[in-house]
Structures are given as structure tokens and as C-alpha cells.
Amino acid sequence: MEPHPADKKLFENLSGSGKAIGVLTSGGDAEGMNAAVRAVVRMGIYVEAKVYFVYEGYQGMVDGGDNIVEVSWESVSSILQVGGTVIGSARCKAFRTREGRLQAAYNLVKRGITNLCVIGGDGSLTGANLFREEWSGLLEELAESGKIDEEAVKKYAYLNIVGMVGSIDNDFCGTDMTIGTDSALHRIIEVVDAIMTTAQSHQRTFVLEVMGRHCGYLALVSALACGADWVLIPEYPPEEGWEDKMCVKLSENRARKKRLNIIIVAEGAIDSHNKAITSEQVKDLVVRCLGFDTRVTILGHVQRGGTPSAFDRILASRMGVEAVLALLEATPDTPACVVSLSGNQAVRLPLMECVQMTQEVQKAMDEARFKEAVQLRGRSFENNLKTYKLLSHRKQDAELPKSNFNVAVLNVGAPAAGMNAAVRSAVRVGITEGHKMFAINDGFEGFAKGQIKTISWGDVGGWTGQGGSILGTKRTLPAKYLEKIADQMRTYNINALMVIGGFEAYLGLLELSAAREKYDEFCVPMVMVPATVSNNVPGSDFSIGADTALNTITDTCDRIKQSASGTKRRVFIIETMGGYCGYLANMGGLAAGADAAYIFEEKFDIRELQANVEHLTEKMKTSIQRGLVLRNENCNENYTTDFIYQLYSEEGKGVFDCRKNVLGHMQQGGAPSPFDRNFGTKISAKAIQWISKKLVETYRKGKVFANTDDTVCLLGMRRRNLVFQPVAELKGETDFVHRIAKEQWWLKLRPLMKILAKYKTSYDVSDSGQLEHVAMHRPKEAETGAI
């Protein structure tokens, strides 16, 4: 496809012709770095720039020679699913000296490289910024010593730098998620889930040490994701006397028939006097005070290894493309910037502002200003900490407020991984707020039959890591049971409803809302939290369960691609779920490096199918002799998976052969990913707090009476914030026939997948990140898509 006339101007402005981009990875490796390298190379070549690998980080830049090599499109094939960094990373003492930087400048100028894309941590990025500031001085010095001529000094007068943060610790201020963090959480959660089964068998206590020398993000989020009993992090040291409090809590949990205890310790954990707390100390404490059988597991470098998660691949691919755009738009006056993510928005931030703020956190911790350290870490970190404290420490009954309100929770629609984490969170926050919590089994059908029971704090213990829906869920809508549901609401005196589910949950709330005229019982606050693998609920960019499904698709595609490594020239056609929503097919295509993804939202015809076949035929002539095509299950009623398979088989005869796979219900199963556990946990906590507020507002003359539109809401993630939206207002945004939102944010990422698969397409740069400044205190209600 050629660029649209309206976009052509943008493409001409952003031509990279005559420019050379160097890409390097530096500092500690992180899963997803290769996806970023691949995106930089391919986007660079796409805009007609020359792209160079700088092997072994700054060491390679100083050494020059074979360490700086021009690369082609095929150079980055098959690296998307590989962990670590294929271009190597090394700590470099020489680059810290001016002589080293002088040599590096010479090696770059020799090749005409004046654009650098640095993927690393804050140390690597600070070094890059210093290099940029010294650049003109270094060139003059080289000219004086006769190594380069005056012409070169003028021609290569400015060095542009764009950074991407690759760090599993997520310790860089200004960005919600750094490349590698989500994958590291996957490794930790896999280990915790495995340890939980053995701990349960022997009634053991496990002390897990995770990485994070200066940042407790991994420890905090994994504690939130597995429901750990205690967590120790550097930003929030425990209060004096924490040892006794922790032991009391562990023994209380055992008394409640809990067969295991999990304590998570960040390697940089400290007490309020800045003294280190080690995992061995914690173990000795538990053994000494309680006599529990206790084991220590240090995760170490396991967290850095393995294949990157779907989230990290998509994040790194988006950041890589954004980095090239930032380099092409850079002028001598623009500061060196970092491309990062805020919510699901790409943003550019001045590099040194981020570095300074990151250093401020460390300074605050050194000076024991811990409250400030937590705030400086950003709103996502603060919210994680608040939620963890809310859910892990059960107050005594006497301490709890008594609201005298009854709140019911139910699951509706198909099961989605993370639903149980959402129910656990809702129940525990509800109890903390003083409500009596009820669980409804089997959706609206179970509601009508009276399958309702009270649910306690302990009942939901260990639910976060469970897949599917423990409460049971059905697709049935409430319309045909209105009379019976109203009776049950009256019988159990239910004052508020929380529904966790997909499109059926949304339709169900619309039906209950419409029935308010006839039944007073439905005049209560109702809130919905989106949970569906299809991610097709209007009013929310993300749904609980979609990330787990995406990881399943990505893992399967990796295996399928690997199966083709022995047999050359093979194309796989893979069918994904999603109803009419192409989210899984499109994002799965981006994460797995697919050649095409057919979706309902973007109409296609036989000419497009033919063009894809021709594109794959050309690809088979290169060294990459395999293809991957994803198809959403309902993208076209006539171009079925079988039809596309037969068409490709016929047209590709003699050039490639075909195989097809229908992924089916494996996309709905499995243990929830860290993202889904935490998104479910945090969004549910917020929903229950909204219910509490509405209950107080609508309580009049001894009863709850809520009949306005703003008392039936959907809580969704919108760009950078979690927002409550009345379901009545979302009607206008909904395509009810196809059960999708009329506008979907991820469609903007369609061209990205095509560019990275070597198609000519138009890429709307107007939506690329604008340079912003790092804000320290953001509005209280703002909540991010980061986990």
C-alpha cells in the first residue's frame, strides 16, 4: 500500500535518506531488547536510513573495527523471541574517559553515524548524554590532530541521541514500564506458582529473594500477584518492631488453616535505619520465633533470562519505531530524549530530567525520606503499594467499620484468566470498607436460582494465581430472569452489584439499568469491570484476561515457527479467538512477528490476499524461509481459515507449503499473567471503593435508592487513566451487532506490524509521542496501564 496523499508530506519530512543510525545495548541485559533492536533496524531501513549495529555496547564503540557493522533487513530475523541481547552488552571503563569517548567519536564519524539509539539503564543513558554534549569538542580535537578534516566537522556537527530503557528492575522514573520488567515478572510468578504447590504439601514457609538492588518494583508487584504474606522493599522499610508483627501475621494465617507462607524480599531490602535485611535473616527469624519449616530461594539471574513476554515485545517494538521517528525529527536544539510508555500512550521525555528524578529517589532513600521516595517512583508504584497494604493485612473485626451494606460479586460471560484475582480483591476491599460480601455462582442464571452465599476474607486466599472462574460464569443475560433476580436481591437485601465479565456483562448492566423503572430492587449502585480474552468491551482499552491470551498465542506462534526451522519454505495460518474483535490477531501478530493478520475491522479482498501471497513468495527468496499469518475467527464469513489455507497452498505451489492451526480454547485457559493478576486486583479495588462512595451518596431514609445513569458504570482503562463511565453513555460508542467498540485504539498499531513485516504502508506520525516534561505529582485518581 502506498502512503495516503495526506500522509505523504509526513513521510517526506521524515525521510532518513543520507542519515546513519547506530543502535547499541548497554548495561545489564533485559528480555525484549532484541525486539527493540529489530524495530530500530527495520524502521530505519524503511525510512531509507543506513543502520549499524554497535556490538558489545560502548566497548564496541570505542574499539571500532568489526564491532560497528551496517545491517540489513534479514540481520534481525528470528531475534524477536530471543531473550537477552544478540548484539552484546558490556560494562566499559574506557568510555568513562575522554580519550575513550574521543576514539568512539572517531569510529562513528568514519562511518557517518550521527544518530544513536541507546537501549540500557540510567547509567548508559547518562553516558550517552555526556557524549552528545562533548560531541562538537571531540570533533574539533579530532580535526586538530588531523584524524578528520574540517569538512567532516561541519557535516557531522551534531549528534542526536534517543534512549530506550531496558531494565528488569523498572527503576527509571518517567516511564511506567521499562523493557524487560514484565518478562522478569513472568519468571518470578512461574517460580512462585511452582513453589506454592510444594510448600502446600509440606506446610512450609518460603522466603523468596528477587532482584532489585535499589528498586522494590519486582518484589512489590510479584507480592501483589501471588498474594504474599509479607514483602520487604527498599523504598518502604518496615516499621520498628516489624519482626514481631510479621511473625504474628504468619501464625494467624496458619491458624486460619493456610498451609503455606510466602515472604518476598527485594535484594536491596533495608530497615528504617538503612540496614540491609537479607533473606537468610528473615528465614532465621521465622525459625527462631515460630519454629516453622522454612526455606530460602534466591531467584538470581533466572529473572533476566528466557523469552520475552508479549507485553515486552510489543512495548519494545513500539518504542523502537518511536525512537527512529524521534531521531528523524531531532534538531540540534532538542534535548536528548527517552521514548517511554505512559498508560498505553507513547511519550518522549527529556533524558536528563528522568535521570535526575531517578537519582532523587536514591537520595531520598539514603536520607531516610521514604514516603517521598515512594512518591518519586511514580503513581503506578504508589498504587501498587496502597493496594498491597489494603489486601494483605486483615484488620481485626473490632477495627473494621460497620457499613450495614450488602455487596454482591458475580462473573458473567466466558472465563478469563485474572477473574479470580479480581474477585479476591473485591471481597477483601469490601470487607475492609465494612460491607458484608456475597458471592453469586454461575452468573445471572445462578443469581436467579438463588446460588448466593456470603464470602469471607479467608475464602478467597490463594485465588490470584488460579485461571478460569472459581465462582462459575455463564453467558446468560438477565432479561428473562428479571423477576427472579429482583426477588433474590430483596431476599438477601443486596445494596450494590459488582459484575466482572465481558460483553455479556456490559449488556447485562444495560438490561438491569433499563429494568429500574419496573423494579426498585435494581435501583442500587452497579459497576462492571471488563474481563474477556477478546478485549472487545467498549469504554476500556484493556480487559482482564487479554494479556494471558496474548501470551498463549505468542508462545504457540514461537513453537510453530520453530517447527519450521528444519523444513524450509513453510507458511503457517493460525486462527485466533476474539469474536469480531481483531485485538488478539493484531497484537499477537505484532508480538510473534507475523507477515499478515486478517481482522474484521480492516476490510480485505481477494486482491489483498493475492498481494500477501506474492509478498511471501518474495520472502522465500531471502534467507528467511518461513511465514506466519494470523486470522481472527470472524474476520470474514467467506474467507475462512480453510479458504485462506487452500488459496495459499494453491498459489504457493512449488514455492512454499502450508499448514494451519486453530488455537481455540487454549486461549481462555492457563494461569493468569502478572499483568492480568495485577490489573484485575487494582481495578477491582477501585471499583469497590466507588461502590462505597455511591452507597453513602444514595442512602436516604433507611434505604439505598440509586436511579441515575451515573450509578451504573463501567470502570475502564482509557489512554492513561482508569475512568468510571455510565453504561448508558457508552451505548453510542458501541457496535452492538458485532459486539465491539466503534473506535479501537490498537488499530493505530496496524501499520507498525506491516512496516516490521516489510510492507509499504502509511504510518500516522501525528500520534507519535510529543516531548513532555517529567511530572512528579500526578492527579490522585490517575492510574496507569502499567502493572
Side-chain angles (χ1 to χ4, degrees), residues 585-602:
N586 186 66
M587 302 307 261
L590 192 52
D595 295 280
Y598 299 120
I599 60 172
F600 169 77
E601 291 89 344
E602 193 174 275

Side-chain angles (χ1 to χ4, degrees), residues 423-556:
V423 173
R424 168 186 176 265
S425 174
V427 168
R428 291 196 168 178
V429 175
I431 290 168
T432 306
E433 302 264 304
H435 310 316
K436 188 172 185 185
M437 299 302 292
F438 287 84
I440 298 167
N441 295 107
D442 299 337
F444 289 118
E445 205 173 299
F447 204 166
K449 291 177 185 166
Q451 292 172 287
I452 305 165
K453 60 179 193 302
T454 57
I455 187 162
S456 70
W457 184 282
D459 292 340
V460 290
W463 278 30
T464 40
Q466 308 263 359
S469 164
I470 296 171
L471 291 185
T473 181
K474 290 256 173 82
R475 291 178 180 273
T476 325
L477 292 170
K480 55 179 175 181
Y481 300 117
L482 289 172
E483 184 83 48
K484 287 179 177 169
I485 293 175
D487 283 348
Q488 298 296 345
M489 295 216 23
R490 198 165 46 250
T491 306
Y492 288 91
N493 187 25
I494 287 168
N495 309 117
L497 264 189
M498 174 162 165
V499 186
I500 300 162
F503 205 86
E504 286 86 2
Y506 167 62
L507 293 175
L509 278 197
L510 284 170
E511 289 179 5
L512 291 178
S513 175
R516 279 175 161 183
E517 287 176 21
K518 194 173 173 190
Y519 302 98
D520 275 3
E521 288 81 0
F522 299 136
C523 293
V524 297
M526 298 188 234
V527 68
M528 171 195 162
V529 165
T532 164
V533 299
S534 306
N535 198 27
N536 63 332
V537 178
S540 190
D541 294 347
F542 296 111
S543 299
I544 298 164
D547 184 70
T548 305
L550 206 49
N551 277 294
T552 303
I553 293 166
T554 309
D555 290 348
T556 311

Side-chain angles (χ1 to χ4, degrees), residues 325-346:
L325 292 175
L327 283 172
L328 295 182
E329 289 173 0
T331 67
D333 304 323
T334 44
C337 75
V338 176
V339 289
S340 90
L341 199 68
S342 180
N344 67 6
Q345 288 295 109

Side-chain angles (χ1 to χ4, degrees), residues 365-427:
M365 288 185 333
D366 293 342
E367 293 169 7
R369 291 181 283 119
F370 297 111
K371 198 175 174 190
E372 204 177 316
V374 169
Q375 286 176 334
L376 284 164
R377 276 270 179 248
R379 54 187 181 162
S380 175
F381 191 93
E382 227 177 330
N383 274 310
N384 284 324
L385 188 57
K386 271 183 200 156
T387 312
Y388 176 76
K389 287 197 287 192
L390 204 59
L391 297 174
S392 62
H393 301 288
R394 182 174 190 257
K395 290 180 179 167
Q396 297 300 322
D397 289 345
E399 293 172 50
L400 292 171
K402 282 280 175 284
S403 74
N404 296 322
F405 291 126
N406 296 339
V407 179
V409 181
L410 72 158
N411 291 342
V412 175
M419 274 182 163
N420 300 322
V423 173
R424 168 186 176 265
S425 174
V427 168

Side-chain angles (χ1 to χ4, degrees), residues 72 79 237 373 389 457 584 626 630 653 655 752 754 769-770:
S72 67
I79 69 168
K389 287 197 287 192
W457 184 282
L584 290 179
R626 51 145 211 278
L630 270 66
K653 252 187 195 156
V655 183
L752 213 66
K754 292 179 182 174
Q770 300 305 310

Side-chain angles (χ1 to χ4, degrees), residues 698-715:
T698 57
Y699 186 71
R700 296 280 176 279
K701 296 177 184 164
K703 65 179 280 209
V704 171
F705 188 76
N707 64 346
T708 53
D709 282 351
D710 68 347
T711 54
V712 187
C713 280
L714 179 145
L715 174 55

